[in-house]
Amino acid sequence: FVNAGLLNLLQTIYVIYGSNIGTTMTSWLVAMVGFKVNVQAMALPLISIGMALWLSGGRSRRSGLGQALAGFGLFFLGIAVLKESFGSLGGSLPLHELAADGGNLPLFVGIGFLLTFLMQSSSAAMAVTLTAAAGGLMPLTAAAATVIGANVGTTSTAALAVIGSTPNAQRAAAAHVLFNLLTALVAVLLLSPLLELITQAYSGAGTAKVLALFHTAFNLLGVALMWWLTPALVRFLEGRFRSIEE
């Protein structure tokens, strides 16, 4: 939209804030559904119904609904495969030892970034992280650091998408990167107290729900910190990525 001139830079940055909060809903989907029901039994009918609607719908809305249902089915099927895979991996990877003293948290941030960069999907990286943590493969603090890394890694999509685009689109991508880096920095600094606060407030919540809460909380905190700084950020970025005409 910003590349086509349908949104200005200020509007685009506010949309980015909303999309960052919106992407945390994947964590909630995995935590609330992925570990509560037999997702494999639910996934296969969704894929079948979705594919039938997609193939028979032509260019109608029914075709779009079919694609959405098939996509959700494949996503839940992936969660089922991950749960089985991580259940057998538990004793073979020394992730608990790496996270024992808390000094290797930057390593887990890097793992989260790398997962998202390679898969080009923060949703997939979050599903992997939550499933691994719920299966006991990594401790809570390490999983939270991986979530932070995945949140930064999602900016790689925007950075790749704006190659050869307009200066305004490049500024929007830069705003996305700066916002996520600031949010990640705040989240790392507040990781222990924020996790402790969440676990005390929701003592009965499982590991996946705690991580989903953490993911949402630090993104909301990042938006709250950046909200009043956004006009200054726009002025700063408007002096960057100038075209020959400008």
Side-chain angles (χ1 to χ4, degrees):
F1 282 172
V2 70
N3 191 59
L6 298 175
L7 290 175
N8 62 39
L9 185 58
L10 182 64
Q11 293 168 335
T12 303
I13 291 174
Y14 286 128
V15 171
I16 287 169
Y17 293 166
S19 67
N20 258 55
I21 297 170
T23 196
T24 67
M25 294 303 104
T26 302
S27 306
W28 286 103
L29 192 63
V30 174
M32 301 294 288
V33 179
F35 299 105
K36 296 296 183 182
V37 299
N38 185 345
V39 290
Q40 196 163 4
M42 184 174 66
L44 295 177
L46 277 177
I47 294 171
S48 301
I49 295 169
M51 288 301 296
L53 290 173
W54 185 8
L55 293 174
S56 64
R59 295 188 177 183
S60 66
R61 290 184 180 180
R62 188 174 62 183
S63 176
L65 175 62
Q67 288 187 56
L69 288 175
F72 273 116
L74 288 169
F75 181 69
F76 288 130
L77 188 62
I79 293 172
V81 172
L82 287 171
K83 285 169 67 177
E84 293 175 10
S85 302
F86 284 126
S88 60
L89 264 177
S92 59
L93 294 175
L95 295 179
H96 278 276
E97 289 78 359
L98 287 172
D101 59 355
N104 286 315
L105 290 183
L107 171 65
F108 288 96
V109 173
I111 289 172
F113 177 88
L114 189 62
L115 276 173
T116 307
F117 179 76
L118 292 176
M119 293 189 286
Q120 284 297 294
S121 171
S122 61
S123 297
M126 288 301 306
V128 169
T129 304
L130 266 66
T131 309
L137 187 60
M138 65 171 67
L140 184 61
T141 52
T146 308
V147 168
I148 295 170
N151 206 64
V152 177
T154 194
T155 62
S156 63
T157 305
L160 292 172
V162 296
I163 295 173
S165 64
T166 63
N168 238 16
Q170 293 172 6
R171 291 171 191 137
H176 191 195
V177 172
L178 290 171
F179 168 68
N180 283 45
L181 284 174
L182 176 68
T183 303
L185 178 62
V186 171
V188 168
L189 293 175
L190 298 178
L191 191 149
S192 295
L194 193 55
L195 272 182
E196 187 175 349
L197 179 66
I198 292 171
T199 50
Q200 287 180 356
Y202 300 93
S203 54
T207 302
K209 284 186 182 178
V210 169
L211 287 172
L213 277 165
F214 175 75
H215 191 197
T216 303
F218 78 73
N219 272 286
L220 286 170
L221 185 59
V223 170
L225 289 171
M226 286 296 296
W227 192 266
W228 306 109
L229 296 174
T230 304
L233 177 62
V234 169
R235 289 193 296 271
F236 170 76
L237 289 172
E238 282 176 345
R240 305 296 183 278
F241 308 103
R242 287 183 173 271
S243 63
I244 294 172
E245 291 82 8
E246 290 175 312

